[in-house]
Amino acid sequence: MKKGWMALLVSFALLAYCGNKEQKAVVEGSAPVARLTITKGDVKVVEGETVRTAAAGQVLTAGQLIRTGAEAMAEIFVKDQGIVRLSANTEFALKRVDAEGVELDQKSGKSTVFLKRLKQDSEFTINTPTSVAAVRGTSFMVDVKSKTESTFALYDGAIEVKNGKGQSVVLDGRGELSVTDKGDISKEAIRPLSKESLEHLKKMAVFQKTQIEEYNSFIDDLKETDAIKMTREEGDVNEQVANIKDRPSSQDNTGKASTTDENMIRRNTEKDPLKIQPQKTFK
C-alpha cells in the first residue's frame, strides 16, 4: 500500500515539475518587450489578419504593426532603449525587440525617437522602404514621405544611414538627409535642420510622467539632452524679439519700449531657460 502511495506522490511531483517548467517557458516567451504608453485618436494594432483598437498600457510584441489614423498619435516605450512617438497616418512595425537590440520597420508617416545612450553591444535599427538607419543613443525624426523617399532629421547624437545601393552616410551633427530609391547619398547631401523639423521636435518634446518608474527616470534624463534643450534655446528668443520689433505702435517711445522688452526676454532666458516652454500639446 505504501509503495502505491509513494508511486502516486512521485507521479504528482513529476507532473508538477513539468507543469511549472512549461508555465515558466510560456511566461518567459510572452515577456513584455514594448508598451504603448500613449494613444490618441484612431490607433490600431495589427497582427496578421487581426486588427484591434490600441489602448494605453497595452503590451506589444515583435511582429505587431501599429497604425495611426488622421489626427492620431501613439507613443511606444521600449524597455532599456527609449521612446518612439508616432505621428498621424503612420505605419510602424516591431520586427525584433530583445536583449541584443531593436529592429523596427517604418512603412509610412513620421516617427520621432528619443533614445538612451545604448550599451556597446546593443543595436537599434529602423528600416524604411529606401534605407536603413543604425542608431546609438540619439534623438531624431524619420519621415517616410513615400515608397521612394525617406528623410532623416538628426537633433542629437549620431545615426548611420544606408541606402539600397549600399552607400552610407553618418550624421553626427544636427542636420537632415533625404534618401530616394534610385539616388546616391553622400556627406555633402546633408543640409541644416529645416524650420518644419524644428517645429516638429517642439511638438514631440513634451512629456508627462506615468506610473512606470523606468519611464519617469528616462524622462528626467532626457530633459538634459541637447535635443530637448534646443526647444528653448536662442532660436525661440529671436522669434520673440522679431515679434516685438514688428509690433505696430503710434507712441513716440516705441524704440525704447521695444529695446526694454527685448532685453527682458534675453535676460529671463539666460537666467531661467524654462521661461520659454515648448508647446504643451502635440499630434
Side-chain angles (χ1 to χ4, degrees):
M1 185 71 175
K2 288 183 178 180
K3 289 183 179 181
W5 276 107
M6 286 297 292
L8 188 60
L9 288 173
V10 170
S11 298
F12 277 133
L14 287 171
L15 286 171
Y17 172 77
C18 293
N20 288 337
K21 186 176 181 181
E22 183 179 356
Q23 184 179 21
K24 183 178 179 181
V26 171
V27 171
E28 289 177 348
S30 59
V33 295
R35 185 184 297 272
L36 277 168
T37 41
I38 300 174
T39 61
K40 177 183 177 182
D42 180 20
V43 180
K44 297 289 193 300
V45 174
V46 182
E47 188 168 12
E49 299 297 322
T50 305
V51 180
R52 295 188 176 91
T53 299
Q58 179 177 345
V59 171
L60 301 172
T61 57
Q64 293 180 323
L65 180 144
I66 298 86
R67 181 186 296 153
T68 60
E71 304 298 325
M73 67 81 58
E75 178 188 85
I76 304 169
F77 178 58
V78 184
K79 181 177 174 61
D80 296 326
Q81 302 283 340
I83 290 170
V84 180
R85 284 187 159 173
L86 309 181
S87 299
N89 300 314
T90 298
E91 285 196 357
F92 198 88
L94 283 75
K95 188 173 182 179
R96 178 175 65 89
V97 185
D98 53 37
E100 283 69 42
V102 176
E103 185 175 1
L104 307 168
D105 283 342
Q106 185 170 333
K107 303 179 184 303
S108 62
K110 288 183 181 180
S111 68
T112 311
V113 183
F114 302 93
L115 294 183
K116 291 182 176 182
R117 296 294 173 185
L118 304 181
K119 299 177 182 178
Q120 194 65 32
D121 58 347
S122 185
E123 297 179 353
F124 192 100
T125 303
I126 293 185
N127 304 310
T128 77
T130 63
S131 54
V132 178
V135 187
R136 185 169 299 280
T138 189
S139 298
F140 63 100
M141 176 188 72
V142 182
D143 183 4
V144 179
K145 300 178 182 297
S146 68
K147 292 182 179 180
T148 60
E149 182 182 2
S150 301
T151 296
F152 296 85
L154 179 69
Y155 304 118
D156 180 26
I159 57 176
E160 180 183 10
V161 180
K162 293 184 179 180
N163 65 6
K165 297 181 178 181
Q167 299 169 336
S168 66
V169 172
V170 175
L171 282 77
D172 52 7
R174 298 175 185 173
E176 293 182 14
L177 176 68
S178 292
V179 184
T180 60
D181 60 339
K182 297 180 180 179
D184 296 328
I185 57 172
S186 65
K187 198 79 173 177
E188 289 70 30
I190 299 173
R191 57 187 183 273
L193 286 172
S194 65
K195 182 177 180 181
E196 179 185 2
S197 294
L198 291 170
E199 287 299 319
H200 182 79
L201 174 63
K202 290 173 69 174
K203 289 179 181 179
M204 292 293 108
V206 182
F207 299 94
Q208 293 181 345
K209 292 190 174 182
T210 69
Q211 296 180 343
I212 304 173
E213 184 176 348
E214 184 182 352
Y215 180 97
N216 296 337
S217 177
F218 175 63
I219 294 303
D220 289 337
D221 293 340
L222 190 61
K223 291 177 182 178
E224 302 305 315
T225 64
D226 289 343
I228 304 305
K229 290 178 181 178
M230 187 166 55
T231 64
R232 55 178 187 263
E233 64 179 11
E234 193 66 23
D236 296 322
V237 179
N238 289 337
E239 287 180 12
Q240 292 212 7
V241 170
N243 289 337
I244 290 173
K245 291 180 177 179
D246 292 339
R247 186 172 58 199
S249 175
S250 58
Q251 298 178 357
D252 294 335
N253 62 347
T254 300
K256 293 182 180 180
S258 296
T259 301
T260 301
D261 288 346
E262 177 179 343
N263 290 337
M264 181 63 70
I265 288 175
R266 293 190 184 279
R267 184 166 65 252
N268 285 346
T269 305
E270 289 170 2
K271 292 182 179 180
D272 183 4
L274 294 180
K275 292 286 184 181
I276 300 177
Q277 295 279 5
Q279 295 186 24
K280 293 298 182 183
T281 60
F282 56 87
K283 294 181 180 179

